[in-house]
Amino acid sequence: MGKILVNDQFISREEGSIDIEDRGYQFGDGVYEVIRVYGGKMFTGKEHLTRLFESSKKILLELPFTQEELTAKLQELMEMNKLHTGTIYLQVTRGAAPRQHQFPGQSKPVLTAYTKEVGRPEEGMNKGMTATVADDVRWLRCDIKSLNLLGNLLAKQEAMANGSFEAILHRDGTVTEGSSSNVFIIKDNQLHTHPATNLILNGITRRVILQLCNEIGLTYKEEAFSVEELYAADEVFMASTTAEIMPLVQVRDVPVGDGKPGEWTKKLQVAFKGAIQQQCGELVGAEE
Ligand code: DCS
């Protein structure tokens, strides 16, 4: 299992404990990140940690360490656990205090982090996955990567119960994002994705993809699109740290295009792999 990080201590999982009045545990009062590691190196680590600090600020949670200090700790954790290809999960809660809704006058934020060895989702990326469509019932601050994920969980659970991999969420017929990913469509050689407003999480993978569009000559529009446009798209894919660029070949009962991963999606996947290699080196043994 390796070591876990609790505040500034590296300990075994069995040694770790969380107070029953930890605000993360009781209220979901905290923020988190999932960072990809390829070949022992963090991919877009800086962007993820910057977002963690931004999310913290948005919930008025002051972190008791700097981004540089946190980076060094996570680096140490990765090395200690000999993580090759996988993920680092980290979260910070407002800490333990007698249960009351308003913020406690005094509490010490609790940082926890652990690593997991997990390969790239090659099979899904090659053959494509399916998605359902669900009502986006979440709150109006989806730009914050907060621990409160019940709306996301209910949507994902519904998708899984229907034999689908992801739930594409919509508000009154306007597609926002996936339950744990951003959603993109391609229509007439143009990519569309919801703008980075309060209604979506501005994914780090999303940001990389928009840069890669310029590289491969695909024009894009950060404009909301409707569920009808989703069904009529030439290509659909979702993107996240763990799923990378995942083609969606069927939405509800409707095949996307010819029911196979689209050409632009495949080009983006190749460019994305190039971006990984550029930052993290060769991807030897990184596949599932
Ligand atoms: N939107 C939501 C709601 C997400 O939960 C995620 C990632 C994304 C978009 C994509 O963001 P990244 O590209 O920065 O990953 N969710 C993380 C999670 O909870 N597990 O893996 C990734």
Side-chain angles (χ1 to χ4, degrees), residues 32 51 145 152 177 179-182 203-205 240-242:
Y32 78 105
R51 186 173 64 184
K145 204 161 170 59
N152 308 61
E177 61 179 336
S179 74
S180 62
S181 63
N182 291 115
I204 306 299
T205 319
S240 77
T241 295
T242 43

Side-chain angles (χ1 to χ4, degrees), residues 104-254:
Q106 277 191 326
S107 74
K108 194 176 161 296
V110 175
L111 164 73
T112 47
Y114 62 93
T115 64
K116 196 165 100 179
E117 194 74 37
V118 44
R120 302 180 66 215
E122 286 288 335
E123 200 188 325
M125 290 198 294
N126 289 336
K127 73 173 184 11
M129 304 296 275
T130 63
T132 53
V133 176
D135 217 359
D136 192 344
V137 299
R138 300 173 302 162
W139 70 332
L140 297 172
R141 291 308 306 275
C142 298
D143 54 309
I144 303 173
K145 204 161 170 59
S146 104
L147 295 175
N148 280 281
L149 288 176
L150 263 181
N152 308 61
L153 307 188
L154 286 169
K156 181 75 96 187
Q157 184 56 32
E158 192 184 312
M160 289 283 171
N162 286 316
S164 293
F165 182 67
E166 179 59 305
I168 298 175
L169 308 176
H170 72 90
R171 281 189 201 266
D172 296 326
T174 297
V175 173
T176 49
E177 61 179 336
S179 74
S180 62
S181 63
N182 291 115
V183 174
F184 303 75
I185 61 169
I186 293 160
K187 183 70 180 175
D188 298 332
N189 298 311
Q190 191 168 50
L191 179 137
H192 303 254
T193 196
H194 196 285
T197 65
N198 60 308
L199 299 182
I200 70 159
L201 181 75
N202 186 3
I204 306 299
T205 319
R206 176 188 182 278
R207 300 179 207 180
V208 174
I209 288 168
L210 296 184
Q211 280 171 12
L212 294 176
C213 280
N214 296 327
E215 221 171 86
I216 66 166
L218 175 61
T219 58
Y220 68 84
K221 271 198 167 146
E222 288 180 86
E223 269 177 29
F225 54 88
S226 66
V227 173
E228 286 75 42
E229 288 171 289
L230 169 71
Y231 285 124
D234 300 326
E235 304 181 27
V236 180
F237 66 88
M238 55 179 270
S240 77
T241 295
T242 43
E244 297 189 15
I245 295 174
M246 187 66 78
L248 295 172
V249 294
Q250 190 182 311
V251 179
R252 238 178 219 162
D253 302 329
V254 185

Side-chain angles (χ1 to χ4, degrees), residues 1 36-40 78 81-89 114-120 284-288:
M1 168 76 209
R36 251 296 185 187
V37 174
Y38 300 104
M78 254 166 52
N81 291 345
K82 299 191 172 52
L83 181 65
H84 184 269
T85 293
T87 51
I88 303 173
Y89 175 88
Y114 62 93
T115 64
K116 196 165 100 179
E117 194 74 37
V118 44
R120 302 180 66 215
V284 183
E287 276 79 36
E288 63 180 9

